[in-house]
Amino acid sequence: MHLRYDVGTRDASEALAIVTARMMLRKTAHVGVGEYDRLLAAAGARNVDWNVTLDATNFAVTLPTSHHALALWLWSDQMGFFADDQGAFEQAFALSAEERTRKVQGQAMGLGEDLARHELYPAGHPYRVPVGVRDSAAIRTAAEIRQLHDTLYVPSNATLVLVGDVSASAAVAEVEHYFGSLSSGQHKALPKPPPLPATRVRLDMAANIEHEMVVVQWLAPPEPVAERTLQTLAEVLGGTRARILEWELADRRGLVTWARSFYVPRALGSAFRIELRVAPGHTPREAADALFEFLTHASPATFNEQVIATARTDVARDRRELEETCVGRARSLAKGTAALQGPDLTAADLSRSLQEDVFSHASVTLLWSRVSGAPVAGEVRARTELP
Amino acid sequence: MRVLTAAALLAIAGCGAAPSQDVMSVPTVPTAAPTVPAFRLTPPAPIATPEFSAPRVRAFDLPNGVRVRSLHREGPLCSLRMRLVTEVIDKAATLAIMAPELKAGTKAHPGGGFTQAMNALGVQLDVFGSSESVDLLSTFPPEAMEAMLGLMAEALLTPTFPRPSFDAQRAYKASYSDATWKLPANLAEPALERALFGADHIYGHLTPDASQLRAVVYEDMVATHAAVLDPSRIIVAAGGTCNEVALRPAVEKAFGAMVRAPTRPAPVVAPAVPTRRLVVVDSPGALEVEIVLGVLGPTCMSTDWYTELVVNQVMRQRATDRIQHALGLTDNLWVTGLGYSAAGGTVIRASVRREKLPSLLAEVESLLAYASHADESAVADARSRILLQDAGAFERARDITAGLAGLAQYGPDGEGFVRFRTEVHDTTVARVAAYGKTYLAQSKPVAVVVGDVGAMRADLPSLGWEHVEQRDASGALVTTFR
């Protein structure tokens, strides 16, 4: 079972959607403190999960069929009966801030994503929010979080998916039972972001890390535009088996020891990221220069048909593995993941997509150097705007 | 609100409906109803639980001892796992390099030919080693089963072990070990192994460090492979939508000619119970501390081992209900089983901000005492959770093969799914109490704390541990605090 709200950290300042979701999990009007986890565990739940991304808040669980109404009861209480006591808010805030400490300040190169968002999205853009909740965030009151909840976490912004041994008519009747009396709320349309810049920025970073790294992030079209092409492109450049970048920059030129690429689909503008681990004896700058030189000269001849076929197979396999489990299938349905079917992609398609959907857009390049006295999460030593 | 429903990808015992999907919209009201209906006040009662029907495992052994197990579950994929039971031999570094090298080329497909053959099938092969076995695992569309079984058998039986690939693999493993060894989590595991099992016991040094990896010799790796390659050590497990009729001839073709070796290595003897102590490992500048606490338990699949599953579940519940909320932890506290063939047990692991170390360590240790004195309701709850989770745990084809291979390796085979449920179901409060007395007494645990020793030195005397020592990453004693 999967409940997705089209509400993410983009929809509240200082990523406070995370605090809202934590409060929903901690206690609601009819579910006591800690009961959410306890009741689900007692019912034999697996895959109990929740997360808040830039675009969405997700709750998921796999339950024995005999207990599936429990999730409907819990989730409808979260949606319609928010509990806004100040103690719950303060604890949720403290937990969220602690999580950021662990996942950002305590993590090697943890500041990278914060900096990338800051550079790629202009002031006022919904995606210009920190990763997680900062200690320094202006503390709100529980009442303000309630306002956020009652405006955004409403049926009009929600999609509920049930996959399993259920009949559609019985399931809908049950959903009506639990959710039908809740206020539908106002559907929140996708925000209209300000125009995106086309700048290219380089940040020289210092961090107490073992491997020097290069991380380049580009803006890419919002999902689902070019989703299938960009997914395949990421798999071709630095995927599971096809790894053109590694073959070029590691095997042929010895500049890096590892290269991967990732497509991160997002509703208001996706991200395309390449990560390189710099080989001993070389510098992040050398590796980055070689990467940009390679991408500048990439052409249809760069992508041969066998590599594309390999990448396509891997993308299809990942999808099949997602579809294998009830919770994976529910997640995929809730998000409305784009279909993989379509005409076979050619080398020309990938080459064009690389240039038009990725390379011509704004980018931020982080050159991570090893400096033993620097914080593990990193600090900026220099910022350069590139032509 | 949009509501999507879809049929299951089928239950483990197999029911054959094709997946379907419906999209509907549930109307909700413009403003919320003022009164709260009664059903909101208490959780819904479960509907009738269907009788558990044990999954049908097909099993057969080749005359030379190769064991084959399969379990059909309709879905989009078939998974094959070939397990070579290496047993615990003092070759951890060698096996760590040998495992990935199995797919570097075979006699029939030398060099890049093996990768090309897999690419032609559109499949991927994962090879990974554990302390007691090496697994080859692949998940693929059902029509590729016979071809993939042949390729996997090639990798297991006739690898060519190209020397340049071995050199690269050894350099990569050592470099990776160098680069990651000082992460607190990576320091904690081997430190606990040494403290719990003792440096002289084979379980005390199962995690190779960079220098051990660099010292691996090519000829020794080849000889080790030949020494462990015996048909009675091979388990073939197939799960998901696999052609069970085609499985037997394919396995016979791949493994039938192997000859069984006359002897097997002696099983590992159970380690001696360690003395209670706290080991501190320095990680300068770390904001958090990593705590790992271990206690030894019974051997795998013994009756006491099933009690251990319930005991660990009791602790897990307590951890969720109490410690996480009391100390403000989020997703960073785990209770797991040890799972060696000659030593089960419990491992509790947590990471937390340094200033919370005294509270967390006390809470973690109190979990052991709590489990020893669990009442009927806690034990019943734990039994119920395990059995409910077990009934649907095998959704993925690859998880099915892991279960099949585990049962074949450790026994009881064949009826293992049924015995598992029976033993868990029959675990009483008295059995839990007896387990606690035997295995969880206060004198038994060993704990490792990885953190900034300079910053936490002042707290160490007040932690309540009689014996506190600092060791370095290689296990050498630095100093004792008491």
Side-chain angles (χ1 to χ4, degrees), chain A residues 3 22 26 30 33-34 37-39 41-47 62 64-73 76-77 79 81 91 94-99 101-103 105-106 135 155-156 158-169 171-172 174-185 208 210-211 240-241 258 277 306 310 313-314 317 320-327 329 333-336, chain B residues 1-9 19-22 24-33 35-37 39-50 73 75-78 115-116 118-124 139-141 143 172 175-176 178-182 240 287-288 313 317 320-321 324-332 351-353 356 381 384-385 388-390 392-398:
Chain A
L3 175 63
R22 264 195 199 288
R26 183 174 187 269
H30 309 109
V33 174
D37 287 331
R38 197 189 65 74
L39 290 169
R46 293 178 292 115
N47 307 318
T62 302
T65 308
S66 51
H67 289 71
H68 74 279
L70 177 63
L72 300 177
W73 182 73
S76 62
D77 218 53
M79 203 183 282
F81 301 91
Q91 202 210 26
L95 281 176
S96 304
E98 183 148 323
E99 186 174 54
T101 300
R102 194 166 64 252
K103 294 183 173 171
Q105 274 97 343
D135 268 331
S156 295
T159 302
L160 175 66
V161 185
L162 293 88
V163 177
D165 190 8
V166 290
S167 78
S169 56
V172 168
E174 277 190 302
V175 174
E176 275 176 347
H177 176 65
Y178 286 103
F179 292 85
S181 62
L182 304 183
S183 168
S184 54
N208 186 8
E210 289 299 324
H211 291 298
T240 312
R241 291 184 298 157
W258 182 90
R277 189 180 293 157
Q306 189 185 339
T310 302
T313 309
D314 288 346
R317 188 205 52 235
R320 277 203 196 95
E321 290 193 354
L322 187 69
E323 300 274 314
E324 215 185 351
T325 61
C326 289
V327 75
R329 195 152 168 238
L333 288 168
K335 186 171 182 295
Chain B
M1 183 170 70
R2 285 201 315 152
V3 182
L4 284 74
T5 61
L9 290 175
S20 61
Q21 180 188 330
D22 293 285
M24 289 168 224
S25 184
V26 167
T28 44
V29 297
T31 53
T35 55
V36 175
F39 73 83
R40 293 266 178 227
L41 304 179
T42 51
I47 57 174
T49 305
R73 180 184 177 279
L77 294 166
C78 166
T115 303
Q116 282 173 11
M118 283 194 298
N119 284 347
L121 287 174
V123 297
Q124 187 183 335
T139 303
F140 40 79
E143 60 273 15
Y172 167 77
S175 154
Y176 186 80
D178 268 338
T180 57
W181 69 268
K182 73 177 181 184
L287 295 174
E288 294 198 314
Q313 182 62 35
Q317 289 159 207
T320 305
D321 289 353
Q324 285 185 310
H325 290 104
L327 293 180
L329 301 176
T330 50
D331 55 355
N332 46 342
S351 55
V352 71
R353 283 195 198 206
K356 291 183 180 174
D381 196 14
S384 161
R385 292 186 194 197
L388 278 167
Q389 291 194 349
D390 172 66
F394 285 359
E395 273 194 290
R396 288 188 178 86
R398 65 168 182 258

Side-chain angles (χ1 to χ4, degrees), chain A residues 40-46 64, chain B residues 52 305-317 378-394 417 419-427 432:
Chain A
L40 285 178
R46 293 178 292 115
Chain B
F52 173 77
W305 182 81
Y306 290 98
T307 309
E308 179 190 302
L309 295 182
V310 176
V311 167
N312 287 346
Q313 182 62 35
V314 167
M315 284 194 251
R316 225 169 268 131
Q317 289 159 207
V379 172
D381 196 14
R383 282 195 310 253
S384 161
R385 292 186 194 197
I386 293 171
L387 294 176
L388 278 167
Q389 291 194 349
D390 172 66
F394 285 359
F417 292 108
R419 183 178 173 204
F420 175 89
R421 296 187 69 84
T422 307
E423 292 279 5
V424 170
H425 183 267
D426 293 347
T427 299
V432 168

Side-chain angles (χ1 to χ4, degrees), chain A residues 12-235:
Chain A
S13 62
E14 296 284 6
L16 285 174
I18 297 171
V19 177
T20 315
R22 264 195 199 288
M23 289 178 72
M24 290 159 72
L25 288 160
R26 183 174 187 269
K27 181 188 173 193
T28 49
H30 309 109
V31 183
V33 174
E35 289 289 288
Y36 182 86
D37 287 331
R38 197 189 65 74
L39 290 169
L40 285 178
R46 293 178 292 115
N47 307 318
V48 181
D49 195 16
W50 71 277
N51 64 52
V52 184
T53 68
L54 280 167
D55 292 322
T57 301
N58 297 288
F59 299 97
V61 66
T62 302
L63 279 164
T65 308
S66 51
H67 289 71
H68 74 279
L70 177 63
L72 300 177
W73 182 73
L74 290 167
W75 290 347
S76 62
D77 218 53
Q78 290 178 348
M79 203 183 282
F81 301 91
F82 188 73
D84 61 356
D85 68 89
Q86 189 63 18
F89 164 71
E90 282 165 15
Q91 202 210 26
F93 186 91
L95 281 176
S96 304
E98 183 148 323
E99 186 174 54
R100 179 178 156 92
T101 300
R102 194 166 64 252
K103 294 183 173 171
V104 177
Q105 274 97 343
Q107 197 70 250
M109 302 179 291
L111 272 185
E113 179 61 20
D114 261 3
L115 292 167
R117 288 182 192 177
H118 190 81
E119 292 292 349
L120 290 174
Y121 302 112
H125 193 288
Y127 285 173
R128 194 164 163 150
V129 285
V131 175
V133 177
R134 290 186 286 218
D135 268 331
S136 59
I139 302 257
R140 308 296 180 92
T141 63
E144 285 173 281
I145 298 290
R146 169 185 272 285
Q147 176 71 25
L148 195 68
H149 170 274
D150 292 352
T151 310
L152 297 174
Y153 289 89
V154 293
S156 295
N157 291 325
T159 302
L160 175 66
V161 185
L162 293 88
V163 177
D165 190 8
V166 290
S167 78
S169 56
V172 168
E174 277 190 302
V175 174
E176 275 176 347
H177 176 65
Y178 286 103
F179 292 85
S181 62
L182 304 183
S183 168
S184 54
Q186 188 78 35
H187 174 65
K188 184 175 175 20
L190 212 53
K192 286 201 168 38
L196 293 169
T199 52
R200 293 175 61 203
V201 172
R202 186 180 70 223
L203 298 177
D204 290 291
M205 304 294 301
N208 186 8
I209 49 176
E210 289 299 324
H211 291 298
E212 300 200 315
M213 298 280 294
V214 175
V215 180
V216 191
Q217 190 157 309
W218 288 267
L219 294 177
E223 62 175 339
V225 178
E227 185 165 353
R228 191 169 70 99
T229 314
L230 288 168
Q231 216 169 2
T232 308
L233 181 64
E235 199 67 36

Side-chain angles (χ1 to χ4, degrees), chain B residues 9-20:
Chain B
L9 290 175
L10 306 179
I12 193 163
C15 49
S20 61

Side-chain angles (χ1 to χ4, degrees), chain B residues 327-340:
Chain B
L327 293 180
L329 301 176
T330 50
D331 55 355
N332 46 342
L333 175 69
W334 301 272
V335 179
T336 53
L338 259 176
Y340 296 99

Side-chain angles (χ1 to χ4, degrees), chain A residues 274-325:
Chain A
I274 289 177
E275 298 181 1
L276 309 175
R277 189 180 293 157
V278 181
H282 294 278
T283 64
R285 182 71 179 273
E286 282 178 88
D289 287 347
L291 171 69
F292 278 95
E293 183 194 337
F294 175 78
L295 295 178
T296 304
H297 295 104
S299 69
T302 309
F303 308 98
N304 74 48
E305 292 302 331
Q306 189 185 339
V307 171
I308 297 172
T310 302
R312 201 171 48 228
T313 309
D314 288 346
V315 171
R317 188 205 52 235
D318 289 348
R319 180 64 63 84
R320 277 203 196 95
E321 290 193 354
L322 187 69
E323 300 274 314
E324 215 185 351
T325 61

